[in-house]
Amino acid sequence: MEALAALADPTRRELLALLAGGERAAGDLADRFPVSRPAISRHLRVLREAGLVRSRTDGRRRLYALDPRPLRELDDWLEPYRDLWAQRLDALDTEIARGRRARTSGAGA
């Protein structure tokens, strides 16, 4: 589950969000962050090694693109937990609705 470890860092998550909009040059990505270009390069390397991004060279530029396959694998792995949370959120919604009804019926008395 290398993808999960790579996504633990907020800068890497933000890089993925930017790449979700399409392919971008490394320099364009680096310009969006208040850290050095070498730091962004290291983050991109981690994402690439985790399989979350692909890179290619275009002249002197290195272009990066999102590879959604590891995200699909992660989504599949999270599915049982999503069902667990859905049940709990449904129960919370029921309790909130009961509280509203209790306040409404108590206000008119």
Side-chain angles (χ1 to χ4, degrees):
M1 203 60 51
E2 260 185 86
L4 193 55
L7 293 172
D9 185 274
T11 300
R12 291 194 284 268
R13 289 193 304 268
E14 193 170 340
L15 284 164
L16 280 186
L18 290 168
L19 292 171
E23 186 177 66
R24 292 180 180 251
D28 295 340
L29 291 166
D31 289 343
R32 297 185 169 259
F33 294 89
V35 296
S36 68
R37 285 178 182 250
I40 294 301
S41 186
R42 285 189 295 273
H43 283 299
L44 289 167
R45 185 181 69 234
V46 169
L47 292 171
R48 192 176 64 247
E49 289 173 355
L52 291 161
V53 299
R54 296 182 309 268
S55 66
R56 68 181 182 90
T57 303
D58 181 31
R60 296 183 69 205
R61 299 183 325 153
R62 180 166 295 270
L63 301 171
Y64 286 86
L66 179 66
D67 186 343
R69 287 176 296 180
L71 295 175
R72 279 189 221 112
E73 292 170 9
L74 185 56
D75 186 53
D76 291 344
W77 181 79
L78 287 170
E79 184 62 33
Y81 303 101
R82 188 176 299 111
D83 292 343
L84 174 71
W85 278 107
Q87 292 169 7
R88 290 181 180 185
L89 291 173
D90 288 345
L92 177 61
D93 188 47
T94 300
E95 290 303 316
I96 290 170
R98 282 183 187 154
R100 286 184 186 137
R101 284 194 301 273
R103 283 193 304 274
T104 301
S105 64

